[in-house]
Amino acid sequence: MEELKESFESQLIYLYDEKMQFENKLGTSDPKDIVAKFKNLESELMHLYGIKDKFKKVSASQINVTNIKNVFIDKNRLKVN
């Protein structure tokens, strides 16, 4: 019986520690809040991919820009041979 009590106590300590890590790193340990945060991040990522799809990466040497390795230009404004 004592071993079972110690096992439950260890599990409870572990779960509480996990809860505190969520609180410290994400600001919440509520599963609904965590899922909502990840869904929001997914939505933001899809929005950024949508923006990126409107642009084409070209070498900066093609447009005379100094000190920038690459730039993104609206595909509709770029004349490519």
Side-chain angles (χ1 to χ4, degrees):
M1 182 69 173
E2 188 64 31
E3 289 176 16
L4 185 59
K5 180 181 173 185
E6 288 176 10
S7 174
F8 284 147
E9 185 177 346
S10 293
Q11 290 176 17
L12 185 59
I13 290 169
Y14 175 80
L15 290 172
Y16 184 76
D17 183 54
E18 224 176 32
K19 174 184 169 39
M20 294 310 297
Q21 286 181 31
F22 278 119
E23 289 284 339
N24 292 333
K25 293 181 181 179
L26 300 177
T28 184
S29 59
D30 184 317
K32 289 180 184 177
D33 290 342
I34 293 170
V35 169
K37 283 180 183 251
F38 278 98
K39 285 185 177 184
N40 186 43
L41 287 172
E42 181 182 29
S43 176
E44 289 179 32
L45 183 60
M46 291 297 123
H47 175 72
L48 291 172
Y49 280 141
I51 291 171
K52 183 181 175 192
D53 286 342
K54 293 181 181 180
F55 295 88
K56 178 179 178 158
K57 182 178 176 181
V58 296
S59 171
S61 64
Q62 292 178 345
I63 57 171
N64 297 326
V65 175
T66 59
N67 297 329
I68 298 175
K69 186 175 180 181
N70 294 300
V71 296
F72 290 90
I73 299 174
D74 189 325
K75 289 178 183 176
N76 296 326
R77 294 182 180 201
L78 185 65
K79 294 179 184 178
V80 179
N81 296 331

